[in-house]
Amino acid sequence: MTAPSDHGPSDRAPDGAYVFLLFVAGDGPNSHQAKRNLAALCEGSSAGRYQVTIVDVLKDFDAASKHGILLTPTLLRVGPGPNVRIIGNLNDHESVRATLGMNA
Amino acid sequence: MSPDPTEEIQGRLRDAEAQIKALRSGQVDAVVGARGVSFLREREYEEKYRRLFETMGEGFVVGRMIYDSRGRAIDCRFIEVNPAYERLTGLRRDAALQLTIRELMPAWAPAWIEQHANVVATGEPTHWERYNADNGKHYRIITFRPEPGRFASIITDITARKQAEMALAELNRALEARVEQRTAELRILASRVTTAQEEERHRIAKGLHDSVCQLLAACHLKLAQAEACDDESARKGLLRAADGILRDANDEARDLTFELSSSALFDSDLLDSSRELCAYMTKRYDTTFEFTCPERDLDLPECMRPTLYHCLRELMHNVVKHAGVNHATVRVEKMERPVAAIRISVRDHGNGFDPEDLNRPLTWKGGLGLRHLRERMRDIGGTLSIESIPGDGTKAVLEVPAGRSRPWEGDP
């Protein structure tokens, strides 16, 4: 897994790695919680590597428009496989893992 | 291959459902719209505060200070004014936002500017009260600094509370003055009671000395003369004279005893003792007291008899001393209306006096007797009322409640 970054999003990932874009709005309470939950999910998973990019829509509004983000926080999995998006603070780890195809 | 439109629509529906679910569960911070990012919580708060601002009962204003080139606060201007502020102060919102404080309220402006400049400079909240002579209202104002360079004030109309406080203070002042006056009166009355007792003792001692002692001395002289007299006829004459003097002394002693305490008061009810008192006063002084009473029985508690009797005697002595007449009437009667009562009236057509004298502050100069009687009557739940016209006589009425309204019997 690569360290979470709040720099500009990158959709390109190493082969087989999970690529996540987490869209947040500043340091709102749900955004903050989503970042913590995503880090915990990645660290607790045994499946491969993860590339996580934190996108702050207050700083990079265009990225949000480009990916059709309407609400924050929204987690977007851009790979592997088709895009999957989860809206909310990711508190329900079990449901999030199942949706993203991550193993505990 | 183009995507299946059905799947695309179903995907969008799933996204929409997920969005709604996240919104409902409170897991969303912001909405990303075409014109920017809008924070949900801030929008909620803003709406809540707007509603509060519009509906709160207190006046609320936000304003900013105006400074001169040297940084001195010279004026201030409102930025926002709520409807309650308009209602409380009578100032229209549009005028309040267009004009400065100096233009809006010239009389208040200097104090306003000083207070608000201090709050804006220090950030220390403050509160004070102001009276607006233009509309006769009192206000309580709390001012704080919501952000640098600005002030906010909450204004409450406290006119009703202020008026109640002032009325209470006035009532307290009146009560204190009344208590002070009453205390002075009671002090004088208490002293007067002591003086009256001394005077009574002196009068009795004088009576004993002037009448009984003189008569006994004369009797002693006659007996000494009789003892020394050889002539039998003259000696018998001296003894008869001594016997006559002894009878007079006996009568005088009986009168003095009556003055001290009427035996009738203890042996019979007030009706008989009052009748006897009239007969005694008529015999003793040059004034005829005509007694009338249509009742057979007054049914008066024993505890009230002495006070009523002594008050009646005092009123009759007043007639003798001050009225300057040789006739007066005493009437004892039961009253049924407006309330059951026993009434004793003493009426003369003599000198009279101004009854207003009794309502003036008590001094040592006079009017103590009737005030003392009034106090004694009050002690037994009764009253003394006086009707008098200078030159046309006086009517004094003693009245005590009878029947169920007697205060000493308490509530059933």
Side-chain angles (χ1 to χ4, degrees):
Chain A
M1 163 191 175
T2 57
S5 163
D6 57 0
H7 293 292
S10 170
D11 296 354
R12 286 178 292 179
D15 290 342
Y18 283 86
V19 179
F20 294 129
L21 299 177
L22 178 60
F23 293 86
V24 298
D27 200 28
N30 285 306
S31 297
H32 182 72
Q33 189 64 25
K35 280 192 263 187
R36 289 166 58 94
N37 281 326
L38 182 59
L41 283 163
C42 292
E43 283 174 9
S45 174
S46 59
R49 293 183 302 162
Y50 301 93
Q51 178 181 305
V52 176
T53 304
I54 307 294
V55 183
D56 186 345
V57 298
L58 299 177
K59 295 175 181 171
D60 193 350
F61 184 76
D62 292 339
S65 297
K66 176 185 165 190
H67 289 90
I69 301 300
L70 291 177
L71 304 172
T72 62
T74 293
L75 177 66
L76 183 63
R77 191 196 72 183
V78 294
N83 286 0
V84 174
R85 67 180 66 212
I86 300 174
I87 301 163
N89 57 22
L90 312 179
N91 270 356
D92 187 350
H93 287 200
E94 198 174 328
S95 169
V96 172
R97 276 197 202 98
T99 305
L100 297 176
M102 297 167 74
N103 297 319
Chain B
M1 175 181 169
S2 63
D4 181 351
T6 306
E7 277 188 16
E8 189 183 344
I9 291 169
Q10 284 176 340
R12 285 184 183 178
L13 278 173
R14 277 196 301 275
D15 283 351
E17 283 172 1
Q19 287 164 357
I20 291 167
K21 187 179 172 186
L23 279 167
R24 282 183 174 162
S25 63
Q27 292 190 21
V28 173
D29 285 336
V31 175
V32 183
R35 285 185 291 179
V37 179
S38 175
F39 284 85
L40 290 180
R41 201 164 289 273
E42 281 185 4
R43 285 203 314 197
E44 264 174 41
Y45 286 150
E46 191 180 333
E47 181 55 32
K48 280 181 184 171
Y49 284 123
R50 170 58 56 186
R51 210 177 301 134
L52 176 66
F53 183 78
E54 297 292 338
T55 58
M56 63 193 289
E58 292 85 2
F60 190 86
V61 297
V62 180
R64 63 178 175 79
M65 301 305 301
I66 300 171
Y67 300 93
D68 66 8
S69 56
R70 288 191 287 178
R72 288 183 309 186
I74 54 169
D75 209 340
C76 48
R77 183 187 291 280
F78 292 150
I79 300 166
E80 192 52 89
V81 169
N82 76 341
Y85 181 83
E86 291 183 281
R87 199 165 56 247
L88 288 176
T89 63
L91 288 172
R92 286 173 54 86
R93 183 172 180 276
D94 51 359
L97 297 181
Q98 282 172 10
L99 303 174
T100 68
I101 292 295
R102 284 192 184 280
E103 293 164 334
L104 277 172
M105 298 173 279
W108 282 29
W112 258 89
I113 292 164
E114 185 184 344
Q115 293 272 10
H116 288 72
N118 192 47
V119 171
V120 170
T122 66
E124 290 290 324
T126 186
H127 61 87
W128 73 95
E129 293 180 0
R130 282 262 180 259
Y131 173 68
N132 185 347
D134 293 337
N135 60 13
K137 286 187 175 181
H138 294 266
Y139 300 102
R140 177 179 167 79
I141 302 159
I142 300 170
T143 300
F144 58 98
R145 185 177 71 182
E147 58 186 274
R150 291 189 176 181
F151 63 82
S153 293
I154 299 170
I155 299 105
T156 313
D157 185 347
I158 55 168
T159 307
R161 194 196 82 197
K162 277 284 176 189
Q163 286 172 344
E165 282 175 359
M166 286 191 285
L168 189 62
E170 181 58 35
L171 186 63
N172 276 338
R173 274 196 294 276
L175 280 174
E176 280 172 12
R178 182 74 191 114
V179 167
E180 200 174 318
Q181 182 189 341
R182 183 82 181 130
T183 305
E185 285 180 359
L186 289 174
R187 198 178 294 127
I188 293 171
L189 281 170
S191 181
R192 174 61 181 158
V193 168
T194 307
T195 307
Q197 287 170 343
E198 287 298 324
E199 286 174 351
E200 185 73 0
R201 284 199 195 93
H202 179 71
R203 194 166 65 83
I204 293 163
K206 190 170 182 295
L208 281 169
H209 176 267
D210 292 353
S211 58
V212 180
C213 291
Q214 298 295 331
L215 288 169
L216 289 175
C219 181
H220 182 72
L221 186 63
K222 293 291 181 193
L223 288 173
Q225 286 174 345
E227 190 179 19
C229 184
D230 293 333
D231 181 68
E232 184 61 20
S233 172
R235 198 162 64 90
K236 284 184 178 176
L238 286 167
L239 286 174
R240 279 197 297 275
D243 185 57
I245 292 169
L246 271 179
R247 287 175 192 276
D248 288 347
N250 192 42
D251 288 347
E252 285 292 334
R254 193 182 297 124
D255 284 354
L256 280 171
T257 306
F258 190 89
E259 290 267 330
L260 280 171
S261 177
S262 168
S263 60
L265 188 60
F266 300 99
D267 297 339
S268 59
D269 67 10
L270 184 72
L271 205 54
D272 292 334
S273 53
S274 301
R275 186 181 288 113
E276 192 177 326
L277 181 62
C278 283
Y280 168 74
M281 294 291 286
T282 300
K283 188 185 104 182
R284 173 93 181 171
Y285 302 102
D286 293 333
T287 305
T288 301
F289 286 94
E290 182 185 332
F291 181 81
T292 58
C293 178
E295 317 295 340
R296 287 190 173 183
D297 179 20
L298 292 180
D299 187 24
L300 194 68
E302 277 187 29
C303 63
M304 302 180 77
R305 289 183 200 168
T307 301
L308 276 175
Y309 179 81
H310 288 296
C311 288
L312 172 61
R313 193 180 65 170
E314 195 66 32
L315 290 174
M316 292 167 77
H317 273 292
N318 277 352
V319 173
V320 171
K321 285 189 281 189
H322 305 299
V325 292
N326 55 14
H327 182 269
T329 58
V330 174
R331 181 177 175 82
V332 180
E333 58 194 323
K334 272 185 183 175
M335 309 300 294
E336 297 299 334
R337 291 178 182 177
V339 292
I342 306 292
R343 178 182 289 178
I344 302 174
S345 314
V346 179
R347 178 80 171 102
D348 70 69
H349 293 281
N351 295 326
F353 65 99
D354 183 0
E356 275 302 304
D357 289 346
L358 295 174
N359 296 325
R360 296 198 173 95
L362 189 56
T363 66
W364 286 101
K365 290 181 180 175
L368 286 168
L370 288 175
R371 288 179 200 236
H372 185 213
L373 293 188
R374 193 171 272 172
E375 292 297 323
R376 295 188 68 172
M377 289 300 292
R378 192 178 295 167
D379 286 346
I380 60 170
T383 58
L384 164 65
S385 55
I386 302 286
E387 294 172 24
S388 187
I389 299 171
D392 195 32
T394 301
K395 182 181 181 183
V397 179
L398 302 167
E399 195 166 302
V400 289
R404 289 185 177 180
S405 60
R406 292 171 186 173
W408 59 88
E409 291 179 344
D411 294 330

